[in-house]
Amino acid sequence: MWAVLAGAFLFICGVLVMTWEALGRRRLSGPPHPFENDPQTLEPGHQGLRFLGLTRNWHAAALMALGAILLLFGAIRYAW
């Protein structure tokens, strides 16, 4: 039972850390500029996908992997 609970906790913490890392380092949108003709969106300009890389999220990926291993261990242990 402890393996399943610890695995679920670690996996959820990994997801939360990855979310915090993706949202916490930059502004999500800028203030509206009255002289621009661009439609206003909530997407930041020039964001790219680098915030999803493993170099910034290796600790969250490690938490999720450890949680998944514990969940699999608990599932196999209780299946027998």
Side-chain angles (χ1 to χ4, degrees):
M1 182 72 169
W2 66 270
V4 174
L5 292 175
F9 178 74
L10 287 175
F11 194 86
I12 291 171
C13 284
V15 170
L16 291 176
V17 168
M18 195 172 289
T19 304
W20 180 265
E21 186 70 29
L23 295 177
R25 296 224 177 183
R26 66 192 184 290
R27 293 182 57 163
L28 294 180
S29 63
H33 300 289
F35 298 113
E36 290 184 8
N37 292 330
D38 295 334
Q40 297 297 319
T41 64
L42 294 178
E43 297 176 4
H46 310 291
Q47 177 178 345
L49 292 176
R50 285 189 300 182
F51 69 94
L52 294 175
L54 279 179
T55 56
R56 289 181 66 181
N57 296 317
W58 66 269
H59 51 283
L63 280 174
M64 291 172 62
L66 185 60
I69 289 170
L70 284 174
L71 281 169
L72 288 173
F73 173 73
I76 291 171
R77 183 174 169 207
Y78 289 116
W80 290 86

